């Protein structure tokens, strides 16, 4: 699954991600999230790590891609 959150505010991205993690609890997830800044990427990776998943940030020229993997245990 891919989410293009470059046009979202960071709190909207977190809200959407929370909905996805909550609805897929105990399922193995593979989500790529596109965000506009490193600071947005760090906020999302912090949230993801608290849910029990892993996140890796790939920096591109004008945006970042966060690779979220794992099984969410809670949100």
């Amino acid at each position: 699954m891919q989410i293009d959150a470059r046009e979202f505010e960071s709190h909207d991205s977190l809200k959407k991600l929370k909905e996805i993690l909550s609805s897929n609890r105990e399922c193995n997830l593979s989500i790529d999230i596109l965000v506009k800044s490193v600071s947005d990427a760090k906020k999302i990776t912090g949230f993801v790590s608290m849910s029990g998943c892993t996140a890796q940030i790939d920096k591109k020229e004008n945006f970042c891609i966060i690779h979220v993997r794992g099984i969410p245990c809670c949100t």
Side-chain angles (χ1 to χ4, degrees):
M1 172 186 296
Q2 183 176 21
I3 300 170
D4 189 349
R6 291 177 285 183
E7 300 299 320
F8 297 166
E9 294 295 324
S10 62
H11 64 275
D12 292 332
S13 301
L14 290 171
K15 184 178 177 182
K16 175 131 178 100
L17 184 58
K18 181 179 179 181
E19 291 171 4
I20 292 169
L21 294 175
S22 294
S23 64
N24 290 293
R25 200 174 298 165
E26 299 183 14
C27 296
N28 195 13
L29 296 179
S30 177
I31 305 170
D32 293 331
I33 305 169
L34 285 63
V35 294
K36 58 186 169 191
S37 69
V38 173
S39 65
D40 287 346
K42 288 181 179 182
K43 290 175 189 176
I44 290 173
T45 56
F47 178 76
V48 166
S49 67
M50 290 189 299
S51 73
C53 294
T54 61
Q56 178 184 353
I57 301 171
D58 284 338
K59 297 175 189 172
K60 302 295 181 185
E61 272 187 42
N62 299 330
F63 63 97
C64 295
I65 302 171
I66 308 161
H67 304 284
V68 177
R69 306 290 183 264
I71 301 171
C73 60
C74 57
T75 53

